[in-house]
Amino acid sequence: MKLIRQTPDELLLLHRPILLCIALAAGAALALGAAVWNITQGEWLKTGIALLATAGLVAPALWFGAERVQIAFSRTSGTCTIDTHRLSGAQHEVFRLDEIDAAIVETHKGQGDTAGSHRVALTFTAGDAENRRPLTPGYAGGKGAKDIAARINGWLDTARPPAEQDLT
């Protein structure tokens, strides 16, 4: 996920997993090349296996690589809009800024995984696990999620009106 624009009135983030798509497409091209090679050699069983591998790589490449998530925080409208575009269709969600408590980092660790993978999620005022909205469906390595969560929280802190003080 990367920062597109940050002003006092707007924070715009974009998630497009281009590298994942490229890696899966390269694997699919290699598997397809193996299938074509096996056709020329008359190896029909190997051809079938290579074609199944191609399909197994192309489907995720299209599904995840064609995904685009845009997150727009607007002080003017007082909303956070999450637009997700996939091959299965578009999803449009709107949350009020005053409903959002904070941005947090969710971590997933597999067996034997020391570092884990991370993603950013918004938490809402009720605060339980049911009141979280991950901004991306998948997890990624590195410190990018931590940086984005910090940027969102910093922007939210400045965008929210100061708490009303009790003058009694």
Side-chain angles (χ1 to χ4, degrees):
M1 183 176 303
K2 69 178 184 174
L3 174 69
I4 301 298
R5 181 175 39 251
Q6 181 174 3
T7 67
D9 290 331
E10 180 183 43
L11 178 65
L12 184 61
L13 305 166
L14 181 64
H15 171 72
R16 282 187 307 192
I18 301 265
L19 293 178
L20 173 64
C21 182
I22 290 170
L24 289 171
L30 288 173
L32 187 59
V36 170
W37 172 257
N38 287 317
I39 287 173
T40 63
Q41 301 301 310
E43 297 281 345
W44 299 109
L45 179 61
K46 289 181 182 177
T47 299
I49 292 170
L51 288 174
L52 286 174
T54 301
L57 289 168
V58 168
L62 289 174
W63 188 260
F64 293 109
E67 174 185 75
R68 180 177 177 270
V69 181
Q70 180 176 306
I71 303 103
F73 294 87
S74 172
R75 182 177 180 174
T76 308
S77 65
T79 61
C80 169
T81 305
I82 302 174
D83 290 316
T84 305
H85 301 274
R86 292 189 186 103
L87 291 177
S88 61
Q91 181 180 5
H92 179 79
E93 297 173 276
V94 179
F95 303 99
R96 290 191 337 260
L97 290 181
D98 59 2
E99 294 177 327
I100 299 170
D101 188 38
I104 62 166
V105 176
E106 295 181 333
T107 300
H108 172 74
K109 285 189 178 184
Q111 280 187 333
D113 190 3
T114 57
S117 301
H118 315 285
R119 70 179 176 187
V120 178
L122 297 177
T123 60
F124 299 94
T125 51
D128 61 1
E130 310 265 316
N131 287 328
R132 288 186 184 175
R133 170 50 170 94
L135 297 182
T136 60
Y139 293 82
K143 64 178 188 126
K146 183 179 177 183
D147 294 343
I148 291 294
R151 190 164 303 258
I152 291 171
N153 287 329
W155 188 89
L156 285 171
D157 288 344
T158 61
R160 290 185 178 125
E164 292 182 23
Q165 297 178 0
D166 187 10
L167 299 176
T168 60

